[in-house]
Amino acid sequence: MTDAPTLFVLTGAGISAESGLGTFRDKGGIWSKFDPMKLATPEAFAADPTHVHAFYNARRQNLLAAAPNPAHAALARLEAALEEAGGRLHLVTQNIDDLHERAGSRRVIHMHGELLKARCLHCEEVVETRVDLSTAQACGACGRAGGMRPHVVWFGEIPLFMDEIETALLEADLFVAIGTSGSVYPAAGYVGLARRAGIPTHEINLEPSDNAHLFDGADYGPASEAVPVFVERMLAELREG
Ligand code: OAD
């Protein structure tokens, strides 16, 4: 089949909520309990790296104890089916967890970095890590201590893979946003970019997001239920050609 579509899927914290990883802006969300300006900025890390490490170390331990849910699994099935049919799924996530990969997604673009990676501020080397980070830790590449930071994007920093993401978005036949409040740019602007390019847009979220008015279609409900239903619909359309 040659007319299988190319999908661009943007995911946010809502897709991992039912795996036990907190969202940010919901009632009781991470940023209602912690001040992001004291934890998720380069200035905060420079001022109190031990405090920042403790926050991300706890989140890393949570992640290692968590498992993907049916929403992650459904997107992995969709990626495989689209590729088999000659189409493509571009999966871009704002999440720093690895639940898409663990569910079987093969190509995931982490625009806000990855919790299971650390980066040395002295030499920029990026390494995988499953253990707690500390200021005492020396970089395996340059040997200097004190520079290991979580390889995540903080407020005031530029998200990763911006050019690649925009190119992928503009070749899509359908833009889908899942579990994101639509309040953090540049990701929040992608639905507008898709619309301007004439690409149909669809939202899957627990409730209408801040950008709900920009979507042509929507499914509202918990991601673990709504995403598999959406994927089954896409797979049925694929089978029908
Ligand atoms: P938010 O916490 O802002 O939004 C999560 C969205 O998921 C909300 O719209 C919820 O309604 C929805 N939601 C919650 N539970 C859900 C469920 N079970 N099923 C489906 N949807 C559900 O998270 P993001 O939009 O991902 O950045 O936040 C974007 C960025 O802000 C994050 O990547 C992070 C944060 O600050 C950085 O740390 C740089």
Side-chain angles (χ1 to χ4, degrees), residues 11-15 17-18 23-26 31 40 56 94-95 112 153-155 179-184 204-207 209 221-224:
T11 63
I15 197 166
E18 290 159 89
T23 58
F24 295 96
R25 293 172 187 81
D26 292 300
W31 294 151
Y56 285 98
Q94 297 166 87
N95 298 344
H112 289 168
V153 174
W154 284 326
F155 291 101
T180 178
S181 61
S183 46
V184 174
I204 304 175
N205 210 51
L206 196 56
E207 56 195 27
S209 71
S224 68

Side-chain angles (χ1 to χ4, degrees), residues 63-148:
L63 172 57
L64 292 172
N69 68 56
H72 299 102
L75 287 182
R77 281 201 302 282
L78 184 57
E79 178 187 36
L82 280 171
E83 294 202 352
E84 170 90 27
R88 178 86 196 259
L89 187 145
H90 294 292
L91 181 53
V92 174
T93 188
Q94 297 166 87
N95 298 344
I96 58 176
D97 66 55
D98 66 339
L99 298 183
H100 283 305
E101 287 89 342
R102 277 198 259 157
S105 286
R106 287 192 295 259
R107 274 195 301 256
V108 187
I109 299 181
H110 284 273
M111 64 182 292
H112 289 168
E114 294 173 71
L115 189 53
L116 299 185
K117 289 184 178 168
R119 185 169 84 244
C120 174
L121 283 173
H122 302 305
C123 72
E124 294 298 319
E125 180 81 357
V126 175
V127 291
E128 302 213 347
T129 185
R130 292 179 167 263
V131 297
D132 288 355
L133 298 181
S134 78
T135 54
Q137 198 172 358
C139 170
C142 73
R144 292 175 68 184
M148 298 309 284

